[in-house]
């Protein structure tokens, strides 16, 4: 790479924005994100079925409106939106409208019921679901210098870094509140302010219903001391180089994103509340209905992956109700998700 193509020094936010979403950016490449990393959507159709079940519960909480919206943020190639519509019962599907929000063009062969948009529609009545979107909202990186002062990290197109000016203004305020750096030289943080703003804008498009963000996440009691910025290329983790050749991602401070009334829980707990448990089928089924047993065993394996500790089960779910108050009673359609329910009651 020549000095000319490497370019000038700049912040990670602008560099990632160009590398991911620019004219030749990673998310505009024809092969799509699934060629480079595997999300819960790609791991099992059970995930789309669980989201469809969630949409049905939102439908019930809203009193079964005439039109029920499902919005898939950062839709990739529309896999989740298509899977959710396919999994809905007929009475709900007849009222459902699907939207896929993505910077790339509409893929060929996508379900004609799904409208392809660059921005979410306004006045949503239903469910806005953002699976692994916020981790790709670019942010600035801060690093403590030898004096313990948080400074912006500057980067060039080849991934080389150096320290810039001290963090100031709203970014400094965000760091002080949500991710205060220690004075140890080299400690790092991702300044999540753009993600807070992006999430608030997405939630604002919901007139009545529920907004959900699902992502790699951490909360204030367990921030990683050296940050989480990384890259993915062809299924492998790699150095985050902002040249458009790889995904650039960092875990999300979901507690900072949460608006009043929001709740953060693990994917494991969320999916269990949506009847995805990973429990093995009874062995007796193997002798009475062997084909059904094999199918149930495969489904249990997929559910176990979606809820696994140390894996997808540790993802965070941020649930943000808008215009509905189902959390007042555990027996409500969304009660098991928006309020804590004792284990014996969930079972």
């Amino acid at each position: 790479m020549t000095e000319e193509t490497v370019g000038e020094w700049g912040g990670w936010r602008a560099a990632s924005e160009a590398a991911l979403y620019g004219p030749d950016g990673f998310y505009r490449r024809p092969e799509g994100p699934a060629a480079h990393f595997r999300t819960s959507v790609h791991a099992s159709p059970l995930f789309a079925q669980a989201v469809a079940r969630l949409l049905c519960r939102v439908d019930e909480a809203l009193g079964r409106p005439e039109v029920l919206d499902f919005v898939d943020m950062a839709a990739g190639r529309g896999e989740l939106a298509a899977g959710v519509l396919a999994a809905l019962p007929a009475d709900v599907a007849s009222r459902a409208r699907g939207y896929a929000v993505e910077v790339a063009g509409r893929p060929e062969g996508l379900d004609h019921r799904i409208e392809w948009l660059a921005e979410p529609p306004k006045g949503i009545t239903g469910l806005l679901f953002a699976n692994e979107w916020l981790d790709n909202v670019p942010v600035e990186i801060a690093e403590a210098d030898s004096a313990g002062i948080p400074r912006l990290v500057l980067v060039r197109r080849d991934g080389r870094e150096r320290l810039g000016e001290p963090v100031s203004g709203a970014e400094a305020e965000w760091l002080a509140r949500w991710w205060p750096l220690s004075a140890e030289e080299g400690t790092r943080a991702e300044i999540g302010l753009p993600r807070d703003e992006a999430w608030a804008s997405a939630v604002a498009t919901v007139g009545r219903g529920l907004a959900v963000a699902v992502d790699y996440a951490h909360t204030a009691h367990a921030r990683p001391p050296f940050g989480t910025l990384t890259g993915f290329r062809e299924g492998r983790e790699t150095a985050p180089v902002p040249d458009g050749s790889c995904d650039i991602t960092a875990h999300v401070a979901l507690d900072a994103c949460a608006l009043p009334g929001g709740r953060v829980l693990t994917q494991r707990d969320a999916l269990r509340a949506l009847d995805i448990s990973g429990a093995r089928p009874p062995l007796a089924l193997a002798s009475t209905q062997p084909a059904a047993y094999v199918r149930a065993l495969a489904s249990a394996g997929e559910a176990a992956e979606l809820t696994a500790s140390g894996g997808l089960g540790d993802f965070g779910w941020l649930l943000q109700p808008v215009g509905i108050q189902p959390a007042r009673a555990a027996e409500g359609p969304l009660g098991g998700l928006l309020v804590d329910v004792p284990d014996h009651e969930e079972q």
Side-chain angles (χ1 to χ4, degrees):
M1 187 176 288
T2 67
E3 188 71 23
E4 183 176 348
T5 60
V6 165
E8 300 296 324
W9 296 98
W12 264 105
R13 184 180 181 186
S16 299
E17 185 74 35
L20 295 176
Y21 307 115
D24 300 315
F26 177 82
Y27 278 97
R28 297 187 186 275
R29 294 171 61 160
E31 71 270 21
H36 297 274
F37 53 85
R38 188 167 178 262
T39 72
S40 296
V41 177
H42 309 117
S44 170
L46 291 176
F47 189 78
Q49 293 167 21
V51 177
R53 197 169 293 126
L54 176 60
L55 180 58
C56 290
R57 295 191 187 182
V58 172
D59 181 47
E60 183 181 346
L62 293 174
R64 307 190 188 284
E66 183 177 344
V67 175
L68 181 67
D69 300 317
F70 175 71
V71 180
D72 180 11
M73 292 291 296
R77 293 301 178 263
E79 300 97 333
L80 179 61
V84 168
L85 291 185
L88 292 175
D91 64 311
V92 179
S94 64
R95 295 180 285 110
R97 293 188 304 194
Y99 300 91
V101 180
E102 183 56 78
V103 296
R106 182 187 182 97
E108 293 184 6
L110 183 67
D111 190 323
H112 69 279
R113 296 175 295 172
I114 299 171
E115 187 172 349
W116 197 263
L117 302 172
E119 299 288 341
K122 306 295 184 183
I124 296 162
T125 300
L127 174 62
L128 180 145
F129 200 89
N131 186 61
E132 296 196 41
W133 168 50
L134 289 175
D135 68 295
N136 288 127
V137 173
V139 295
E140 299 290 7
I141 309 299
E143 182 176 318
D145 66 12
S146 58
I149 297 172
R151 292 180 177 270
L152 291 176
V153 177
L154 305 182
V155 65
R156 296 199 305 185
R157 199 165 183 267
D158 63 354
R160 290 181 59 194
E161 294 180 335
R162 69 175 176 84
L163 296 187
E165 295 296 314
V167 180
S168 61
E171 292 175 334
E173 293 174 4
W174 189 95
L175 270 186
R177 179 179 179 185
W178 292 109
W179 197 336
L181 283 177
S182 76
E184 181 184 350
E185 183 178 6
T187 54
R188 290 168 67 124
E190 291 100 31
I191 305 174
L193 183 61
R195 293 169 171 177
D196 299 357
E197 295 169 346
W199 180 242
S201 294
V203 173
T205 67
V206 181
R208 292 178 65 233
L210 183 69
V212 179
V214 179
D215 239 308
Y216 301 95
H218 46 68
T219 52
H221 69 278
R223 303 283 190 225
F226 300 101
T228 61
L229 185 71
T230 191
F232 284 93
R233 182 190 296 114
E234 298 177 352
R236 296 178 181 273
E237 190 168 3
T238 185
V241 178
D243 61 359
S245 68
C246 66
D247 185 31
I248 297 173
T249 177
H251 294 198
V252 182
L254 282 180
D255 51 344
C257 294
L259 299 169
R263 184 192 181 200
V264 178
L265 65 163
T266 66
Q267 174 157 298
R268 179 168 47 258
D269 290 339
L271 290 184
R272 285 175 177 170
L274 293 167
D275 304 326
I276 303 293
S277 69
R280 292 173 62 92
L283 192 57
L285 189 65
S287 57
T288 59
Q289 301 180 56
Y293 177 78
V294 170
R295 290 194 298 271
L297 195 61
S299 180
E302 293 174 5
E305 180 182 3
L306 291 173
T307 58
S309 297
L312 294 174
D314 291 343
F315 271 48
W317 281 44
L318 168 56
L319 296 100
Q320 196 77 53
V322 179
I324 53 176
Q325 305 266 337
R328 289 179 177 175
E331 63 269 17
L334 295 171
L337 288 159
L338 294 176
V339 297
D340 290 316
V341 180
D343 289 343
H344 71 276
E345 293 185 20
E346 287 189 357
Q347 295 303 321

